[in-house]
Amino acid sequence: MIKLEHITQTYVGPDGKVFEALKDVSIEIKPGEIFGIIGRSGAGKSTLVRCINLLNRPTKGAVIVDGRDLTKLGDAELRDVRRSIGMIFQHFNLLSSRTVYDNIALPLELIGTPKEQIRSKIEPLIELVGLTEHVNKYPSQLSGGQKQRVGIARALANDPKVLLSDEATSALDPETTVATLQLLQRINEKLGVTIVMITHEMNVVKQICSRVVVMNKGEIVEQGDVIDIFARPQSETTRALIGQVMDRDLPQSIVNTVNAAREKHGRDNVHLLHLSFIGEEVAEPVISLASREFNIDFSILRGTVDDLQGRTLGTLTLLVVAPTSVYKQAVDFIRNRGVLLEEITNV
Ligand SMILES: Nc1ncnc2c1ncn2[C@@H]1O[C@H](COP(=O)(O)OP(=O)(O)O)[C@@H](O)[C@H]1O
Ligand SMILES: [Mg+2]
């Protein structure tokens, strides 16, 4: 559906220095999926997503949408293709002097659609996004979530096949974010629109994306099914985004427990582990097997279970009291059974 092939984007700064905002980036997005692009601010996400509708013309590379390379199209053809690609933004980009209805109608007005046709087109959209009571209001009279719903309905007015979302929930509070993501999910299912979600928040990816690419400094550092990325993050960038960098988010209560165990059993005999696993992949009772095999006890310090598009992602932080040689064998034993195991050594 959408293929970006070897995209490079260079900018020349005021000092004449060449800066590469995208370095040989290739992605493929399948029809009907919700695809995530995540990275810190400045990673190149917006630059990349704006290549999909050529708001941004890449310095090098091909942009294939529905089998056609957009970089080779003339202006008129490009305008047509652009109409099949809707976009929503962090700051909504609504016209303050127009009502909700007139904001949503704008894309159709621009192509000369007759008034009645506009009405029959956008009324169902207004209902779909839940703005029926607010059609005559102005943007200043709306909450952030409502403004984004206007943005979403406007983006859908032209029956796009693709919806690009550039940090569309970043200005919203957590509850409104959840509701907006649910709406996008409904739109994806009901209308079959392919959605490309740009975000710097892993929670957004976790809630609705099926696949994700992780970007850092203009490059893709990791990509795959969302659950795999969460269960087995490979890059430091991904780990930081997931918040699994253990020295950062280990609560004081756990540190206290570890210190108490060290006093009791001796520093060298106390070990701390972090496990992540995908429920369906771990058929064996790994922990109790290891416990019996090596005759050691594991204490659960904390655990989480998440549902990601119907698959189960679990994490456990465990305390182990055992001589180092036995502990090392237990670590290998667990690692060989489909569980990602990280040793926490910096407490
Ligand atoms: N038009 C431009 N001219 C020069 N530099 C730009 C331009 N657009 C973006 N950049 C630079 O490219 C890098 C990536 O920006 P951007 O794609 O907006 O990142 P993100 O959306 O991930 O925050 C940043 O360092 C930004 O300053
Ligand atoms: Mg951006």
Side-chain angles (χ1 to χ4, degrees):
M1 165 115 222
I2 299 170
K3 272 199 243 174
L4 300 180
E5 295 177 341
H6 305 292
I7 299 289
T8 296
Q9 180 82 50
T10 52
Y11 293 117
V12 181
D15 51 0
K17 268 200 194 141
V18 175
F19 167 75
E20 280 196 310
L22 296 172
K23 301 168 195 166
D24 193 22
V25 172
S26 298
I27 56 175
E28 182 167 355
I29 299 168
K30 296 174 195 154
E33 79 173 323
I34 305 184
F35 187 90
I37 300 174
I38 188 161
R40 292 192 192 90
S41 172
K45 308 179 297 292
S46 294
T47 307
L48 184 65
V49 79
R50 291 160 67 86
C51 287
I52 296 176
N53 54 10
L54 282 202
L55 277 181
N56 199 61
R57 202 171 264 276
T59 314
K60 265 194 244 159
V63 180
I64 319 280
V65 178
D66 268 346
R68 290 201 292 181
D69 185 349
L70 304 195
T71 63
K72 306 237 153 63
L73 298 184
D75 288 350
E77 286 173 304
L78 187 56
R79 262 199 307 277
D80 275 349
V81 175
R82 278 197 182 132
R83 230 170 270 144
S84 69
I85 304 175
M87 192 158 183
I88 53 176
F89 309 88
Q90 179 172 4
H91 298 295
F92 324 119
N93 297 12
L94 305 180
L95 294 178
S96 58
S97 60
R98 283 184 159 238
T99 62
V100 166
Y101 184 96
D102 288 337
N103 264 287
I104 298 171
L106 185 66
L108 294 171
E109 277 177 30
L110 289 177
I111 55 168
T113 311
K115 273 207 162 65
E116 265 321 297
Q117 223 168 305
I118 292 182
R119 183 168 296 279
S120 62
K121 177 79 235 178
I122 70 171
E123 272 180 351
L125 284 179
I126 290 168
E127 202 179 315
L128 176 69
V129 301
L131 285 173
T132 310
E133 301 146 58
H134 306 288
V135 278
N136 295 318
K137 290 188 180 164
Y138 288 87
S140 62
Q141 299 168 291
L142 302 176
S143 69
Q146 289 164 342
K147 283 182 200 165
Q148 195 53 285
R149 284 164 191 266
V150 178
I152 291 169
R154 180 184 57 187
L156 295 175
N158 270 323
D159 282 328
K161 293 191 198 134
V162 179
L163 181 63
L164 309 178
S165 166
D166 192 351
E167 304 276 5
T169 58
S170 298
L172 306 176
D173 62 61
E175 268 175 50
T176 313
T177 294
V178 170
T180 307
L181 294 176
Q182 283 167 347
L183 173 63
L184 290 173
Q185 204 158 24
R186 228 170 33 245
I187 286 163
N188 168 258
E189 284 163 12
K190 224 178 137 170
L191 309 178
V193 179
T194 306
I195 301 182
V196 185
M197 296 290 301
I198 305 288
T199 181
H200 65 278
E201 294 170 298
M202 266 298 185
N203 275 334
V204 169
V205 169
K206 195 155 124 188
Q207 194 181 326
I208 66 166
C209 298
S210 53
R211 293 193 305 138
V212 65
V213 301
V214 182
M215 293 189 63
N216 189 39
K217 297 183 180 154
E219 288 177 298
I220 292 179
V221 292
E222 197 163 345
Q223 60 181 312
D225 286 350
V226 168
I227 191 156
D228 293 324
I229 301 284
F230 270 89
R232 290 179 278 265
Q234 303 294 319
S235 69
E236 202 43 53
T237 305
T238 313
R239 282 169 204 274
L241 288 164
I242 295 177
Q244 254 183 13
V245 181
M246 299 315 292
D247 59 349
R248 259 206 238 155
D249 70 346
L250 217 52
Q252 191 56 41
S253 58
I254 288 187
V255 176
N256 293 344
T257 307
V258 173
N259 286 337
R262 280 176 177 156
E263 260 177 43
K264 194 164 165 202
H265 302 286
R267 194 176 175 92
D268 291 347
N269 295 320
V270 175
H271 313 275
L272 204 53
L273 298 176
H274 183 77
L275 272 48
S276 341
F277 46 92
I278 298 171
E280 308 84 76
E281 285 181 5
V282 184
E284 301 171 289
V286 177
I287 303 301
S288 50
L289 280 179
S291 174
R292 252 177 278 151
E293 176 87 16
F294 301 99
N295 195 25
I296 52 177
D297 291 322
F298 294 87
S299 310
I300 299 176
L301 300 181
R302 71 173 166 184
T304 61
V305 179
D306 267 305
D307 178 275
L308 277 77
Q309 278 83 54
R311 294 171 75 196
T312 310
L313 174 70
T315 71
L316 279 177
T317 306
L318 300 174
L319 181 85
V320 190
V321 179
T324 302
S325 60
V326 179
Y327 158 78
K328 286 286 179 205
Q329 290 175 46
V331 163
D332 288 340
F333 181 92
I334 295 169
R335 278 198 175 131
N336 290 332
R337 281 165 178 76
V339 177
L340 177 86
L341 184 154
E342 292 166 276
E343 299 179 65
I344 306 168
T345 54
N346 49 10
V347 180

